[in-house]
Amino acid sequence: MPTSKLKRTIIQSFLKEKQIESDKWYCCDISFTSITDIGRHVNKSHQAEIDAREAQRLEEKQEKQNNFDLLKQRRGKKGSSDPIATECQCQLENTKVILFYKYTFVKDTVKFALDHQQYCANMTGKVRIASEGINATLAGTNEDINLYLNWLTSTQPFSDVGEELKQSESLELNNISTARYKFFKPSQGCSHVFSELSIKLVDEICPLGQTTVVLDKLQNPNHGHGKLSPSDFHSILSQRHQDDFILLDTRNYYESKIGHFEGAIQPPIRKFSQFPDYIERNKDVMRGKTILTYCTGGIRCEKATAFMRQTLPDENIFMLDGGIHNYMEWWKNRNTIDKKQESDPVWQGKNYVFDARQSLGLDDKSIVSCYAAMHVVHQMIMFTAVMIANVANKMDFVPVKKSVEIGNYNNCKYSYD
C-alpha cells in the first residue's frame, strides 16, 4: 500500500529530528551515515510512533475542518433579526461600543476566529473574519474591551500597526486624540444593543463581489493617499460649488434616507454588491469629475474607491477617512475656537447603525418627514417586507397623492417616483 503524503511528511520531519550533521543521523544509540539505512531503521523500529503522529495530525485536521464549518454557518435562524430597541438599566459610563476594520492578511483565519470566541466571551456584537482582514462591532464593559484590544493589537494581523495602537491604555470616549480612539471608533452603548455574539468566517469582510479588488490594491500606499480627514472633508463640502465634484454615498438606500451629507448622490442599491453595477451604468456621467465618497465607518469606501479607480482610472477619487462616525465625533469634539468660526455641519439627519440603537446623530433632528416614517425606515433592514419599492430609482418620504400606506400611520405616506 503506497505511503500517504501526510505520512511521508511526518517521516521526513522525524528524520530531520534525528539528523546531527548533513550526512549523519543518530537514533536509538545508533549512528547512521546513509539516508537509506536510517530510513529502514525508522520503518522497522518506529512505525508505531509514526502512525501515532499521523493519527494526531488527522485528528487536528478534522477538528480544524469542524471549526471551519461551524464558523461559516448562518449566525441565527433564517428569518431572525437583530433587536431594534433596547430597554436596560446599564450604567453607560461603564460600557461602550467599538466599530473597526482592518484590511490585512490573516494567516490562520480559523485560529483567529477561535481566539476571538475566548477574548470576546463576555461581549456581544458581530465579528467577520476573512483572509483579507477583520470587520467588527462589539459591545461590552470598558474592562472587557480594554483587555480585548490589548490582546488584538498583539496578534499577527496587527503586527504592522504602530506602537501607539499597541499601547495598553484605556479607550476613553472623550480622548479623541489617541490612536486607539481613531482606529476603534468607540461610541456610547452597552451589550444589549446586540442580541448575541456572532463570530463568523466569510469570503469578504465587506462583500463587494469583485475578484479584481484584492488585498494588494487595498494595501497600496497610493490607495491610502486618497483618504480625507473629517476636517478636510468638511472644509471641501462647506466651500463647494455645484459642479466642483461629485459627492457619492456608498451605503444602501435605507441608510441614506435617514441621513446623508448635503448634496450627496444616494444610489438606489439594497446591498453593497450592487454598487459596482451602479458605477458601471453611470461612469460616463462621472468622467472628468473629482469624486468624494463616504460610508458609515470607512470599510465600504475602501473597496468602493478601489473599484472606482479601476473603472475610472483618470479621475481623482477620495473617501472620508473613518466614515460618518469619525465626522460626527470630530464635529462634536471641536474646540471652542473652531465652534465659533465654523458654520453648521454638512451632515444631515442620522447615521444608520446595525444594532438596537438604530441610528446616531449630532442632534435629535431627522430628515424624515415624521416620526412614523423614521420608525419605518429604521426597521427596513429588519423587516424586509417593508422594502416594497426596491426596484425604484428614487425613494422619498413625502406626502403625495399616489402613495403606499405603511401600517396605521394615516398621515404618513411612503412613496416612490
Side-chain angles (χ1 to χ4, degrees), residues 254-321:
Y254 50 82
E255 298 172 76
S256 62
K257 287 305 165 187
I258 65 167
H260 51 257
F261 283 103
E262 182 182 352
I265 295 173
Q266 303 157 44
I269 59 175
R270 186 175 59 84
K271 54 186 179 180
F272 188 49
S273 58
Q274 295 173 340
F275 183 79
D277 180 62
Y278 174 84
I279 296 300
E280 289 289 350
R281 288 186 284 108
N282 293 278
K283 60 185 179 183
D284 289 340
V285 180
M286 299 181 184
R287 295 193 193 280
K289 300 281 188 179
T290 295
I291 304 170
L292 273 60
T293 68
Y294 67 90
C295 59
T296 304
I299 187 170
R300 280 179 279 190
C301 281
E302 294 267 11
K303 281 196 172 180
T305 53
F307 174 78
M308 292 172 70
R309 288 188 181 111
Q310 291 177 180
T311 308
L312 299 162
D314 299 325
E315 278 62 47
N316 292 317
I317 301 171
F318 301 91
M319 63 170 278
L320 171 59
D321 192 16

Side-chain angles (χ1 to χ4, degrees), residues 47-62:
Q47 193 60 49
E49 185 176 352
I50 298 298
D51 289 343
R53 290 191 183 189
E54 182 182 28
Q56 182 180 0
R57 291 282 293 275
L58 288 172
E59 185 178 343
E60 291 171 353
K61 185 178 180 180
Q62 185 59 53

Side-chain angles (χ1 to χ4, degrees), residues 69 94 104 118 169 185 196 202 232 243 282 288 333 387 395:
D69 293 340
N94 299 325
T104 183
Q118 175 186 347
E169 60 183 6
K185 297 186 281 292
E196 60 182 355
V202 292
D232 289 341
D243 298 323
N282 293 278
N333 290 284
M387 298 181 189
M395 305 174 64

